[in-house]
Amino acid sequence: MSRTRTAMLAALALVAGASGTALAAVPDEIGTAAVPCTVDYKVQNQWGTGFTAAVTVTNNGAAKSSWAVKWSYAGNQQITNGWNAKLSQSGTAVTAANESYNGTLGTGGSVSFGFNASYSGTNAIPATFTLDGVTCNVDDGGGGTDPDPDPQPGNRVDNPYSGAKVYVNPEWAAKAAAEPGGSRISNQPTGVWLDRIAAINGVNGGMGLRDHLDEALTQKGSGELVVQLVIYNLPGRDCAALASNGELGPTEIGRYKTEYIDPIAAILADPKYAGLRIVTTVEIDSLPNLVTNTGSRPTATPECDVMKANGNYVKGVGYALSELGDVPNVYNYVDAGHHGWIGWDDNFAPSAQLFKEAATAEGATVNDVHGFITNTANYSALKENNFTINDNVAGKSVRESKWVDWNRYVDELSFAQAFRNQLVSVGFNSSIGMLIDTSRNGWGGTARPTGPGATTSVDTYVDGGRYDRRLNTGNWCNQSGAGLGERPQAAPATGIDAYVWMKPPGESDGSSSAIPNDEGKGFDRMCDPTYTGNPRNNNNMSGALPNSPLSGHWFSAQFQQLMQNAYPPLP
């Protein structure tokens, strides 16, 4: 990075002439090739209480099929109407996203838009502009549009997990280490769950977001380090599962934005943390509910119908992606359910389309999405080696077995790789990567089959050979017989950025009986081992462990089981 060139560019961006123009254009001798984008913001006309502005954006990076420019005002400017862009404003933060007719922005191409706005006092020109999360008018240090082959701390990379350590949550590590045998895994990285507004500052004297980020800087040392955060507090959260209901009601999208997402984004944007690679898992178990648990489907719930009708899942996810995506060292991964949820033909493509809708809502663009995560807090086996979806036994396809039940996929790896291709086909960037949560999908121990099942029938063949020992893929709560899966690792398979333990092993999915609490968590019969099921699990028994505490609370018996049944086995 040339400090001289950077300083000159930064200075140019702040210069305002008599006409109120921010000089964002860069002289040729400075070298525009290393500037990823430029923004020319001009105040064309100004009067006592308002002004008209024109903005021209030039893209020097890879060609784009959609775009979003963002900036923040230092004063109280308020946009009233605009043209040639979809303009939205939240407080001082402004987003200008492409219209349907001007989304294409080639390398070296420019696009212009304008607006009217009101103001009082001074009308300072914004100091910083971003195009799809990349800061404009500043030398990127790469000497061109290609990525820096040896990125410095804080520079954006294709796979944040490559060449990096991953943050070990000391609070989880202490609980794990206190268990007999727990020291074998207490050094593994797990996700930090921000599951309510209070978690931002810390609950019951525990670590808040800044505490975790400060600790991450210590763990980072001179190398690279990933911090994994779970963004999980949508209005009307988990409309099909009572155990993980949240604190915000179905209509409280305003509180979600201003009391939850905005404070998180402000902390992550602190320059102190610019050298960390911050991975966010955005709102697990939310968007897929709008596909599978609404309308006339037997799995529908009134709560999910409400969330589909009011649009607050889509708006909330879009807003989170937009605001968090503004931070250059944040990598957003959107939750994509798991193969036993959206692997069926009538769920697969509609889910991808819904994710695209959310990723282009509330000022977000597909460029705010670095990838997707599957199997978060679930149990689906990573790879079933004893049968494939193409097998035929006793005259029937594996898809006709009771276990597969016409699903198109039998395990999480094949699903994640196929779903990635589907997401790209609907408009997500071809560079997106997938994460798979392997914290509880090992299914080892003495019950792990060593080969295919008997070929007497398609059911004996599948049931005798499958690693996943659940009664049904719809079972999700504290599953009996589960084990730790593959240890966290970077780039383990094609299209997969990492295997992760986003769900900390040992934290309960929900209580096995009703427990009064002030956390907004209800009692879900799917966590009751005596429950005989519902249409979402084909009316099977729940398969849940007994005597479980509230979701998120430590469950020693589950932790011991996970270690005992780990695959690969623990030493």
Side-chain angles (χ1 to χ4, degrees):
M1 174 74 74
S2 167
R3 295 184 180 180
T4 302
R5 289 166 63 191
T6 303
M8 292 175 67
L9 287 159
L12 281 170
L14 296 172
V15 172
S19 64
T21 301
L23 300 179
V26 183
D28 291 340
E29 63 267 27
I30 294 178
T32 58
V35 180
C37 48
T38 61
V39 174
D40 183 11
Y41 177 110
K42 294 180 178 179
V43 176
Q44 293 182 315
N45 186 24
Q46 182 169 305
W47 56 97
T49 59
F51 65 98
T52 300
V55 182
T56 299
V57 184
T58 301
N59 171 38
N60 294 323
K64 300 174 180 294
S65 59
S66 63
W67 52 265
V69 178
K70 299 183 181 182
W71 67 86
S72 292
Y73 284 116
N76 60 353
Q77 298 95 325
Q78 290 290 323
I79 293 176
T80 54
N81 66 293
W83 47 92
N84 291 338
K86 296 175 181 175
L87 288 135
S88 59
Q89 185 170 356
S90 176
T92 61
V94 176
T95 298
N98 63 276
E99 296 281 7
S100 59
Y101 55 81
N102 64 356
T104 301
L105 188 55
T107 302
S110 298
V111 64
S112 298
F113 58 90
F115 58 87
N116 293 322
S118 63
Y119 80 100
S120 61
T122 60
N123 184 20
I125 291 171
T128 303
F129 299 88
T130 64
L131 174 62
D132 297 333
V134 176
T135 302
C136 298
N137 306 332
V138 176
D139 181 356
D140 70 359
T145 58
D146 294 328
D148 189 337
D150 182 22
Q152 298 301 307
N155 282 8
R156 201 155 184 84
V157 294
D158 179 60
N159 181 356
Y161 290 86
S162 292
K165 298 183 294 184
V166 187
Y167 175 64
V168 177
N169 180 349
E171 293 185 314
W172 176 82
K175 294 175 184 176
E179 292 279 347
S183 60
R184 293 175 293 173
I185 64 167
S186 59
N187 64 340
Q188 291 290 349
T190 54
V192 173
W193 286 55
L194 302 174
D195 61 354
R196 46 192 145 154
I197 293 167
I200 299 171
N201 293 320
V203 178
N204 297 327
M207 297 174 70
L209 178 54
R210 282 195 180 274
D211 298 320
H212 285 293
L213 295 176
D214 289 341
E215 170 64 19
L217 290 175
T218 300
Q219 292 186 21
K220 178 181 184 297
S222 59
E224 298 289 352
L225 185 127
V226 172
V227 179
Q228 302 176 126
L229 306 177
V230 179
I231 307 300
Y232 185 49
N233 198 31
L234 274 178
R237 190 178 75 190
D238 280 8
C239 57
L242 298 177
S244 43
N245 288 161
E247 64 186 349
L248 299 178
T251 63
E252 293 188 283
I253 187 68
R255 289 190 63 199
Y256 176 79
K257 291 179 177 181
T258 60
E259 297 181 38
Y260 181 68
I261 292 299
D262 287 354
I264 292 173
I267 292 171
L268 300 187
D270 189 330
K272 178 181 182 181
Y273 307 122
L276 298 170
R277 298 177 182 178
I278 301 172
V279 165
T280 62
T281 294
V282 178
E283 295 297 352
I284 65 168
D285 294 349
S286 60
L287 295 175
N289 275 305
L290 303 185
V291 174
T292 64
N293 297 323
T294 56
S296 60
R297 296 195 181 207
T299 56
T301 70
E303 294 82 2
C304 290
D305 283 331
V306 166
M307 299 317 300
K308 184 173 183 178
N310 68 25
N312 283 342
Y313 276 8
V314 168
K315 294 173 187 175
V317 170
Y319 188 80
L321 292 173
S322 174
E323 297 307 301
L324 301 175
D326 280 350
V327 184
N329 56 312
V330 165
Y331 299 80
N332 288 321
Y333 289 80
V334 179
D335 181 74
H338 55 91
H339 91 275
W341 190 351
I342 57 176
W344 281 271
D345 293 341
D346 54 351
N347 298 340
F348 192 77
S351 293
Q353 288 289 351
L354 181 63
F355 296 160
K356 175 69 177 302
E357 179 185 348
T360 51
E362 300 291 305
T365 77
V366 293
N367 296 304
D368 289 315
V369 178
H370 200 76
F372 291 79
I373 182 169
T374 78
N375 212 43
T376 313
N378 209 267
Y379 297 84
S380 294
L382 181 67
K383 186 72 177 75
E384 293 283 8
N385 292 321
N386 294 328
F387 62 97
T388 75
I389 200 68
N390 299 315
D391 291 349
N392 287 275
V393 175
K396 289 190 175 183
S397 163
V398 157
R399 294 189 69 199
E400 298 179 69
S401 67
K402 291 179 181 178
W403 172 254
V404 178
D405 191 27
W406 295 103
N407 200 309
R408 185 68 65 177
Y409 304 94
V410 300
D411 53 33
E412 212 55 30
L413 180 58
S414 63
F415 165 75
Q417 291 172 324
F419 197 54
R420 178 189 175 279
N421 293 335
Q422 181 69 25
L423 291 160
V424 171
S425 76
V426 300
F428 285 97
N429 294 331
S430 60
S431 60
I432 59 171
M434 307 295 287
L435 305 177
I436 301 177
D437 191 336
T438 59
S439 60
R440 304 184 302 176
N441 71 346
W443 296 104
T446 58
R448 185 177 177 87
T450 58
T455 56
T456 310
S457 70
V458 71
D459 286 321
T460 59
Y461 176 71
V462 171
D463 289 340
R466 60 183 169 93
Y467 301 138
D468 190 334
R469 306 314 297 168
R470 287 178 294 174
L471 299 174
N472 185 271
T473 56
N475 286 359
W476 54 266
C477 194
N478 300 325
Q479 290 299 285
S480 177
L484 300 168
E486 289 283 350
R487 314 308 177 249
Q489 55 188 283
T494 302
I496 310 299
D497 281 352
Y499 296 151
V500 298
W501 285 6
M502 203 61 71
K503 172 71 174 182
E507 292 189 359
S508 174
D509 295 322
S511 59
S512 53
S513 60
I515 299 177
N517 66 91
D518 60 0
E519 300 175 31
K521 296 169 182 175
F523 169 51
D524 196 303
R525 290 295 306 279
M526 287 297 288
C527 301
D528 176 358
T530 69
Y531 184 49
T532 55
N534 57 49
R536 285 186 291 283
N537 77 336
N538 279 342
N539 295 296
N540 283 277
M541 297 293 288
S542 70
L545 290 169
N547 304 314
S548 58
L550 289 172
S551 63
H553 291 224
W554 190 254
F555 189 10
S556 178
Q558 183 203 53
F559 186 79
Q560 289 294 330
Q561 174 191 260
L562 291 173
M563 290 195 296
Q564 178 182 347
N565 294 331
Y567 193 89
L570 295 177

